[in-house]
Amino acid sequence: MKFKRIAGILGAGVLALSLAACGANNKDKELVVGASNVPHAVILEQAKPILKKEGINLKIVKFQDYVLPNKALASKELDANYFQHIPYLESQMKENGYKFENAGGIHIEPIGVYSKKYKSLDDLPDGAKIIMSSSVADHGRMLSLLQHEGLIKLKAGVDPTTAQIKDIAENPKHLKFEANVDAGMLPKVYQNNEGDAVLINTNYAIDAGLNPMKDAIALEGKDSPYVNIIAVRKGDKNKKEIKELVKVLHSKEIQDFIIKKYKGAVVPVSQ
């Protein structure tokens, strides 16, 4: 009887250890991703249940600016972030020495020109005040849009992605540029009717209740090279969890959601 009792205790112990081991093997892997509120965090929320089925518990950390997500990634508070386009990533790595890499492009947010005073760019008067983001990394993109619309012309040989206000060669309407406003504050500047036109990043426009397709008087084309990406620390893009995240974001289910939800204000990509 004593032997049986000892055997039973040992058996129970082995069973408990086996169950604990199974539990450890089945435990979801946590993946922490920093993102802007809209559309990035919204898109990630759609991906969360899909990733859960693959054993990945997606934790989304929301940010309201363009500086902290990269700082958090560098300090290993995040496994990845999803808020920036490639030119911005490259400029941040150059300025701050970040060792990051692009794990995959997810979508494009066409930047827009907004005005409460004028219904088209043609209506802008001589000497109109144009308000832009203080982020120099966005200036080339904004100036390229204005050049495409025929309002300015950049100097020959200037890389459009790195162009600055000083690189404007022709400005027939004598537009005056103000670039000292944080990108997240641009919708408020527009709502306050400041300046004659404001260039606003689509994520901030949507977050402020604007509809880029209806409210913008000019919108960047869908062929924009400014693809928003999943950024990770160098050497991490081939990690299983990161590859699965990108795979899910490229899936038809998520891309169809983006198209239906944003109706052209956010355009999915799969590269």
Side-chain angles (χ1 to χ4, degrees), residues 44-252:
L44 288 175
E45 285 290 350
Q46 294 297 309
K48 185 182 287 189
I50 304 174
L51 288 167
K52 184 72 174 177
K53 293 176 182 178
E54 300 300 321
I56 299 171
N57 181 26
L58 177 62
K59 180 181 178 181
I60 304 166
V61 180
K62 298 179 183 179
F63 292 88
Q64 293 280 11
D65 73 352
Y66 287 164
V67 176
L68 293 178
N70 279 333
K71 285 187 175 182
L73 180 60
S75 63
K76 299 185 178 181
E77 296 171 52
L78 304 173
D79 297 307
N81 66 40
Y82 174 36
F83 78 100
Q84 62 193 325
H85 53 61
I86 295 171
Y88 184 76
L89 172 68
E90 292 175 346
S91 72
Q92 286 290 291
M93 289 194 294
K94 184 177 180 181
E95 290 175 20
N96 299 289
Y98 294 139
K99 303 296 183 183
F100 295 161
E101 60 184 339
N102 172 9
I106 309 303
H107 75 265
I108 297 169
E109 299 170 26
I111 205 163
V113 184
Y114 298 78
S115 176
K116 282 187 171 291
K117 299 175 182 176
Y118 305 101
K119 294 184 178 180
S120 74
L121 293 178
D122 291 337
D123 294 337
L124 290 175
D126 188 80
K129 182 179 178 181
I130 311 298
I131 301 178
M132 301 164 54
S133 163
S134 58
S135 174
V136 177
D138 275 337
H139 290 180
R141 182 181 188 182
M142 293 174 170
L143 293 173
S144 294
L145 171 57
L146 296 179
Q147 178 173 251
H148 181 267
E149 296 293 332
L151 289 179
I152 62 168
K153 189 172 182 179
L154 296 171
K155 295 175 182 176
V158 171
D159 181 353
T161 64
T162 59
Q164 298 180 37
I165 295 171
K166 65 181 182 180
D167 296 318
I168 297 174
E170 297 178 23
N171 183 5
K173 282 198 172 188
H174 308 101
L175 302 175
K176 297 176 182 177
F177 294 91
E178 182 178 299
N180 56 9
V181 181
D182 182 82
M185 295 300 294
L186 289 170
K188 187 174 181 179
V189 168
Y190 163 73
Q191 296 292 358
N192 289 342
N193 204 17
E194 298 177 38
D196 294 296
V198 185
L199 285 103
I200 307 177
N201 302 72
T202 291
N203 61 310
Y204 288 127
I206 295 172
D207 203 19
L210 295 171
N211 183 332
M213 302 299 291
K214 295 180 180 179
D215 298 323
I217 61 174
L219 199 61
E220 191 178 24
K222 294 181 180 180
D223 57 349
S224 167
Y226 291 85
V227 180
N228 280 235
I229 62 169
I230 296 293
V232 297
R233 289 182 295 278
K234 194 168 184 179
D236 284 356
K237 75 175 183 179
N238 288 320
K239 283 188 174 181
K240 180 182 178 182
E241 295 78 23
I242 298 297
K243 292 180 76 171
E244 193 63 38
L245 171 65
V246 173
K247 179 183 175 182
V248 168
L249 293 175
H250 283 168
S251 68
K252 187 176 185 300

